[in-house]
Amino acid sequence: MSKPEGEHRLHARLQPAAGDHSEDAYRKRPGEILDRFERGGHVDKVDLLTGRVTPEGHAVPEGKRAQQAELNRAWLKAERERLQAGKGEPLASADEDAIQRFLRTQGRFGSASETDLQAKAAAAQEYAAKLAAEYYQEAGGGRQEAGTATHAPRPTPHAAATRASFLPVSRSDMAARGWEQCDFVLVTGDAYVDHPSFANAVIGRVLEWAGFKVGILSQPDYTNPEAFKALGKPRLAFLVSAGNLDSNLNAYTAHKLPRSDDPYTPGGKPGKRPVRATIVYCNMIRRAFGKTPIIVGGIEASQRRFSHYDYWDDKVRRSVLLDSNADMLVFGMGETQIVELAHRLNRGEPLSQITDVRGTAFVKKDAAFLDSPEYVERFGKPVHTLDHEELLPPIQEAGGGTQEAGATATSVQSRIHNPKSKVAPPDRVQEHQTESPAQVPAYRRNYAVAFKKIFDQQDPVRGRPVVQRTGKLSVIQLPPARLQTEEELDRWYDLPYTRLPHPDYEALGGVPAWLTTQHSIVTHRGCMGSCTFCAIWMHQGRTIQSRSAESIVKEAEAITHMPSFKGYISDVGGPTANMYGNYCSVQQTLGACKDRDCLLPDPCPALRLHLDKQIDVLKRVRAVPGVKKAFIASGIRHDMLIDDKATRGIGDAYIENLAAHHTSGHLKVAPEHLSDDVLTRMRKPGLHKYEEFKRRFVEASKRVGKEQYLVAYFVSSHPGCTMDEQIRLAEYFKKNNWSPEQVQDFIPTPMTPATAMFYSGHDPETGEFVYTPTTMREKRRQRALMQFTRPEFHGRVRKALREAGRKDLIGTHPDALVRPGQEEDWDDDNPARPAGIGSGPATTRKRNNPYRGRKPRGKRR
């Protein structure tokens, strides 16, 4: 039985027969070559070297694998030689072969039509040659001819980094390069640190590699439009990012208290970036330059591309595209999209007419073009999620009656066409605790439904366009950018970063975030875990994309030349360190599974854990001259290492290698909670797997002659965690004589499944009701129970235990959590003015209120 229209897992011409991945199983148009790039995937290098697949991803019969392996080796060698010829230079696009190959992957396999490729490549070469002629001079001072410029030596961290080593940040920097105008001005909420851990540096260097002039406008005065004119109007577009963190998360704690510092600002001073920086920066640019093109990106824009629950506003906000008035949004990591957009803008295409670049979102009045045969053939049939108006609270009609938003089509259309005739009363989920599904209104349940539809399309292989109506406009998101190959990742990380903060910051005390990442190495992107509270798998995806060992070792060698390097590489890892090199053939051909997790309840049989590859990479990094230790600080997924079947028997060897060479006395792991019910909502493994890993790690540490410990991370007030579950966790800590310091309060950040649970009260995956601590009082109590040994929390713990019917845990006996004493708690539970942890009650004490008890004297003026 065939699937109904719109339910295809792949586009029609790519639909494989069930269980058959041979060449004939793919339906393709006559004369068209099926390439791995078109599916959005890439081929595993191990499969190439063993001859199991061709470079295009086709399966090879067993009898022909030896011959195919030789062909694959020759292909890999040729690819690497071509790559080496064009990477690691400031203007690698001047290498015609390198830019041609890159643009070829962006053709019918990505975003451009085949007829555009030669024109794009020619335009890129012409512009790169022009830029090279401006950039490099003969020894005698004369300009070189276009196309014959030699590249300047790659800046090395051990050399004295001058302003010329960085991208321009001022008019004088532009003048020193002979520039009158930038092609792109990148406005960012972070300080400018030229390091591959900082997004503004990566995007800037990638565009420089592609042959464009890029200026960095870092942390401009967001109250003054004139500050955004510092680098002038760019020739092509402004690029806007809030920075490496969501600006709300950067500014406020889980209890909505202002943070005392900003690690991404010189000297760590807070207040240099606005809250909701993407919106503020874009509107300031509009005030300064009018209708100049604006492209937004970064984690803040990515996670707010659709209607989303905003924890700090305690309401559902519309897409950031609408509030910022930006022309386009790039979501995900962004390198392939921004290069594609840059070349098309350079050719003269208006940004408003570019509607076919994967990994982008934009706003249109009419979305009918997505249903055209051309678009359906290329991207799949669009998915329409619930309108923004269907996610809003009840509305007050002009006659005084109320309706539930989303209850009927009539009420939604009424809101759209006559918005001023009704007022939405405030509805704050943080002001009342939802105890049962009957207390959850329809519009909040709609949020879980809408999120599920959006979430299911966030895969580069099987994802389809998503449309959400907001008023008379449609927010349109195309499928995510295709997966990047090992060679492409190597290219981005091998660009000429100085790995240093801009010299302007030296007098201001440096950039604190750089101090912790300056000697770190990112080995891969993506995470096969499915933690519902994490934004990584929505931003980087579930499919692992790894760098080559050669590129990682090359970066380690560069680190050893940094003046601040003392022999210790702080981290060799990624979102999850031990996922480097992992591979799943299903993800490459059909996309990540919708109906199951890669690791739960146990690692999937289709998953290949290449722990041997990471052991080899770590060994090579340790062998780099000058490296004393290379630590793994980014954390590991412990349940993967104790599954002997999935690890093919080398899990214990990996743990012992970890204990012997890559642990600085403490290793980070994240069991998160004790309760199976809570862990199910988190999509995390049971605590018994943590206990087993702990046993193996302690034994391995003893074998190598070290006394080492695990630093376990736990989360409080996560959806699904009742007070009873939290008390059970506190009892576990008491029994094991733990006093955890690494306690994280759950913060509902946009576009995560846990945030959908927090607001909607329902699991978007199953539709089940989920009890969630939403009030500040409940969140504070759960946090206090996890740290019951701290004296400042004793009063709150006593009150929480008494109200939960667990007075047996108050006393002097061995099982008691706290001794008898006074109960304390905040009477004020207003989320707009929280008291915070340990800072004292928010209510005013009697002796400090001079007006208490006095009669009013009448109206004050």
Side-chain angles (χ1 to χ4, degrees):
M1 181 177 178
S2 62
K3 290 187 176 183
E5 185 178 5
E7 291 298 321
H8 299 296
R9 291 176 64 86
L10 294 175
H11 309 331
R13 67 179 184 273
L14 303 176
Q15 182 70 40
D20 182 7
H21 299 291
S22 64
E23 183 172 357
D24 295 335
Y26 292 87
R27 304 171 191 162
K28 43 188 183 176
R29 293 177 294 193
E32 182 179 78
I33 299 175
L34 178 69
D35 191 276
R36 63 190 181 281
F37 293 126
E38 191 164 10
R39 291 199 303 272
H42 60 268
V43 179
D44 184 39
K45 191 174 179 181
V46 173
D47 287 343
L48 282 173
L49 294 177
T50 56
R52 294 181 179 180
V53 296
T54 66
E56 289 74 32
H58 302 314
V60 177
E62 189 169 355
K64 298 182 179 180
R65 289 180 180 175
Q67 180 181 1
Q68 185 64 45
E70 292 298 323
L71 296 174
N72 290 349
R73 289 191 185 95
W75 178 83
L76 281 171
K77 181 179 179 182
E79 284 290 300
R80 194 163 286 283
E81 288 176 353
R82 285 196 292 270
L83 174 70
Q84 194 63 37
K87 72 180 181 180
E89 300 292 344
L91 292 173
S93 58
D95 175 0
E96 181 176 357
D97 192 48
I99 195 68
Q100 288 271 8
R101 286 185 296 106
F102 179 82
L103 292 175
R104 194 176 301 121
T105 68
Q106 302 297 300
R108 64 173 181 275
F109 312 137
S111 303
S113 63
E114 181 69 17
T115 56
D116 288 339
L117 287 178
Q118 292 184 355
K120 288 172 62 178
Q125 288 309 306
E126 180 181 357
Y127 187 75
K130 177 183 176 182
L131 185 60
E134 297 175 359
Y135 220 98
Y136 304 110
Q137 297 181 354
E138 297 267 9
R143 298 278 187 183
Q144 294 186 352
E145 294 183 6
T148 63
T150 58
H151 294 304
R154 171 177 176 154
T156 53
H158 67 276
T162 62
R163 297 187 69 91
S165 305
F166 294 81
L167 297 175
V169 298
S170 65
R171 290 275 194 173
S172 59
D173 291 343
M174 294 169 58
R177 295 189 174 210
W179 295 2
E180 293 184 1
Q181 185 181 30
C182 291
D183 296 324
F184 294 95
V185 172
L186 200 164
V187 182
T188 174
D190 287 343
Y192 173 33
V193 180
D194 193 32
H195 188 285
S197 293
F198 290 76
N200 52 37
V202 174
I203 295 300
R205 290 296 185 184
V206 166
L207 283 170
E208 183 188 47
W209 168 85
F212 295 95
K213 302 176 182 178
V214 185
I216 304 291
L217 186 57
S218 174
Q219 297 184 323
D221 180 359
Y222 56 87
T223 65
N224 183 8
E226 294 299 316
F228 291 80
K229 298 180 180 179
L231 297 179
K233 182 178 180 179
R235 184 174 67 90
L236 298 177
F238 276 100
L239 309 178
V240 176
S241 169
N244 274 18
L245 285 179
D246 185 289
S247 56
N248 278 287
L249 190 63
N250 182 277
Y252 297 106
T253 68
H255 295 267
K256 298 186 177 181
L257 297 175
R259 297 189 187 273
S260 58
D261 64 340
D262 181 351
Y264 291 93
T265 295
K269 295 181 179 180
K272 291 296 184 180
R273 83 182 79 209
V275 173
R276 297 185 182 84
T278 302
I279 297 173
V280 175
Y281 287 161
C282 288
N283 282 283
M284 281 294 173
I285 291 171
R286 289 283 181 236
R287 289 177 62 182
F289 294 102
K291 293 185 178 181
T292 188
I294 299 177
I295 303 172
V296 297
I299 187 70
E300 178 171 287
S302 286
Q303 300 304 104
R304 296 172 181 266
R305 56 188 182 268
F306 289 106
S307 296
H308 55 279
Y309 172 70
D310 188 286
Y311 173 68
W312 294 272
D313 266 1
D314 195 14
K315 69 177 183 180
V316 173
R317 295 178 63 97
R318 61 182 187 170
S319 168
V320 71
L321 271 168
L322 298 170
D323 286 338
S324 67
N325 200 22
D327 297 286
M328 182 169 287
L329 185 152
V330 171
F331 64 92
M333 299 305 286
E335 294 98 343
T336 57
Q337 301 101 298
I338 202 63
V339 172
E340 173 73 13
L341 291 171
H343 284 296
R344 294 178 68 170
L345 288 171
N346 189 50
R347 287 178 49 211
E349 289 188 59
L351 194 56
S352 60
Q353 296 181 16
I354 302 177
T355 58
D356 60 349
V357 177
R358 281 176 161 267
T360 63
F362 43 86
V363 177
K364 295 292 180 184
K365 288 184 178 180
D366 184 6
F369 67 93
L370 294 173
D371 292 310
S372 66
E374 177 187 359
Y375 266 82
V376 172
E377 178 74 8
R378 185 169 176 184
F379 299 114
K381 192 172 180 63
V383 174
H384 292 261
T385 189
L386 298 183
D387 295 352
H388 172 73
E389 287 74 21
E390 296 180 80
L391 313 180
L392 300 181
I395 57 177
Q396 185 74 38
E397 297 292 349
T402 61
Q403 281 188 319
E404 283 238 334
T408 65
T410 304
S411 66
V412 174
Q413 292 302 317
S414 176
R415 183 194 290 268
I416 293 172
H417 295 292
N418 198 11
K420 295 184 179 180
S421 64
K422 48 199 71 73
V423 178
D427 180 82
R428 309 296 187 186
V429 298
Q430 297 172 35
E431 293 181 357
H432 51 82
Q433 187 62 52
T434 304
E435 303 287 346
S436 69
Q439 296 176 314
V440 182
Y443 67 89
R444 283 174 56 190
R445 293 195 295 271
N446 285 347
Y447 187 87
V449 175
F451 177 83
K452 171 65 174 171
K453 287 191 174 185
I454 295 170
F455 184 79
D456 283 346
Q457 304 308 320
Q458 306 308 311
D459 184 89
V461 179
R462 58 172 169 77
R464 294 183 282 160
V466 181
V467 182
Q468 184 177 54
R469 291 280 299 176
T470 302
K472 298 180 181 180
L473 300 174
S474 292
V475 176
I476 300 170
Q477 177 211 282
L478 294 184
R482 62 173 180 79
L483 300 172
Q484 299 194 53
T485 64
E486 179 184 272
E487 287 76 11
E488 284 179 306
L489 280 185
D490 288 354
R491 178 189 294 136
W492 309 141
Y493 284 95
D494 287 350
L495 293 174
Y497 306 100
T498 63
R499 303 187 68 89
L500 299 170
H502 194 275
D504 284 352
Y505 305 141
E506 186 174 351
L508 301 175
V511 182
W514 171 76
L515 295 175
T516 59
T517 59
Q518 58 177 318
H519 303 140
S520 64
I521 301 174
V522 176
T523 60
H524 62 282
R525 294 176 178 176
C527 182
M528 287 179 165
S530 304
C531 304
T532 58
F533 52 80
C534 183
I536 286 291
W537 63 329
M538 288 289 284
H539 193 64
Q540 295 188 4
R542 289 171 60 185
T543 304
I544 303 301
Q545 303 163 79
S546 302
R547 297 169 61 186
S548 69
E550 292 76 14
S551 176
I552 294 170
V553 171
K554 183 178 180 180
E555 185 170 355
E557 292 171 346
I559 290 175
T560 61
H561 296 295
M562 296 180 68
S564 59
F565 185 67
K566 305 300 182 184
Y568 300 96
I569 295 179
S570 60
D571 185 29
V572 184
T576 304
N578 56 315
M579 289 186 183
Y580 173 78
N582 288 1
Y583 173 77
C584 174
S585 58
V586 175
Q587 289 182 344
Q588 307 297 327
T589 55
L590 297 176
C593 300
K594 288 174 61 176
D595 303 324
R596 69 157 296 163
D597 293 320
C598 299
L599 303 177
L600 297 176
D602 296 300
C604 176
L607 178 61
R608 302 178 188 177
L609 304 182
H610 292 305
L611 296 179
D612 52 336
K613 292 179 65 174
Q614 190 186 17
I615 291 175
D616 177 65
V617 167
L618 293 172
K619 181 179 179 181
R620 293 178 62 177
V621 170
R622 295 198 308 268
V624 171
V627 174
K628 300 176 182 177
K629 284 281 186 179
F631 298 117
I632 291 180
S634 50
I636 62 169
R637 185 73 185 231
H638 58 273
D639 55 316
M640 296 172 61
L641 300 176
I642 62 173
D643 191 302
D644 295 330
K645 184 177 180 181
T647 62
R648 293 173 294 177
I650 64 173
D652 286 339
Y654 182 93
I655 294 174
E656 185 166 327
N657 181 70
L658 195 65
H661 303 292
H662 305 289
T663 304
S664 60
H666 297 84
L667 179 67
K668 295 178 183 177
V669 291
E672 309 293 10
H673 212 278
L674 165 74
S675 167
D676 288 339
D677 291 339
V678 179
L679 292 170
T680 297
R681 301 302 178 191
M682 293 180 175
R683 294 185 189 169
K684 295 284 286 187
L687 191 67
H688 66 283
K689 293 193 175 184
Y690 165 75
E691 297 283 7
E692 174 62 18
F693 174 78
K694 178 181 178 182
R695 181 187 65 80
R696 296 192 187 192
F697 179 76
V698 171
E699 290 179 356
S701 296
K702 290 179 180 178
R703 287 196 299 270
V704 299
K706 293 185 177 182
E707 183 178 356
Q708 299 182 133
Y709 306 95
L710 297 180
V711 176
Y713 283 78
F714 291 88
V715 174
S716 67
S717 62
H718 190 276
C721 186
T722 65
M723 191 60 70
D724 289 339
E725 301 288 5
Q726 200 70 357
I727 292 173
R728 282 184 55 209
L729 182 60
E731 290 182 285
Y732 175 81
F733 291 158
K734 178 72 173 182
K735 179 180 177 181
N736 289 274
N737 197 28
W738 274 14
S739 180
E741 294 297 328
Q742 301 298 335
V743 174
Q744 299 170 313
D745 292 321
F746 169 66
I747 302 179
T749 54
M751 289 281 282
T752 65
T755 299
M757 295 183 213
F758 181 93
Y759 178 70
S760 71
H762 290 76
D763 189 329
E765 189 68 30
T766 65
E768 299 171 344
F769 172 74
V770 180
Y771 174 87
T772 303
T774 57
T775 65
M776 286 294 174
R777 179 181 291 118
E778 184 85 350
K779 290 172 71 70
R780 295 187 193 111
R781 288 182 178 181
Q782 292 210 12
R783 169 64 179 265
L785 280 166
M786 295 184 77
Q787 296 182 303
F788 61 89
T789 58
R790 295 176 60 174
E792 63 266 33
F793 294 155
H794 285 179
R796 194 176 305 161
V797 171
R798 293 185 192 103
K799 188 165 186 176
L801 292 174
R802 180 182 60 78
E803 293 187 358
R806 294 301 306 272
K807 293 176 66 175
D808 58 300
L809 296 178
I810 303 175
T812 58
H813 53 88
D815 295 331
L817 298 182
V818 291
R819 292 175 174 270
Q822 184 179 0
E823 294 182 2
E824 294 178 2
D825 207 351
W826 294 180
D827 293 328
D828 181 12
D829 199 35
N830 180 5
R833 188 168 58 89
I837 294 288
S839 60
T843 54
T844 306
R845 295 185 179 182
K846 183 175 180 180
R847 64 175 180 270
N848 292 333
N849 189 349
Y851 298 103
R852 184 180 294 274
R854 292 188 183 182
K855 293 182 180 181
R857 296 183 178 179
K859 199 171 188 178
R860 292 178 179 268
R861 293 188 179 274

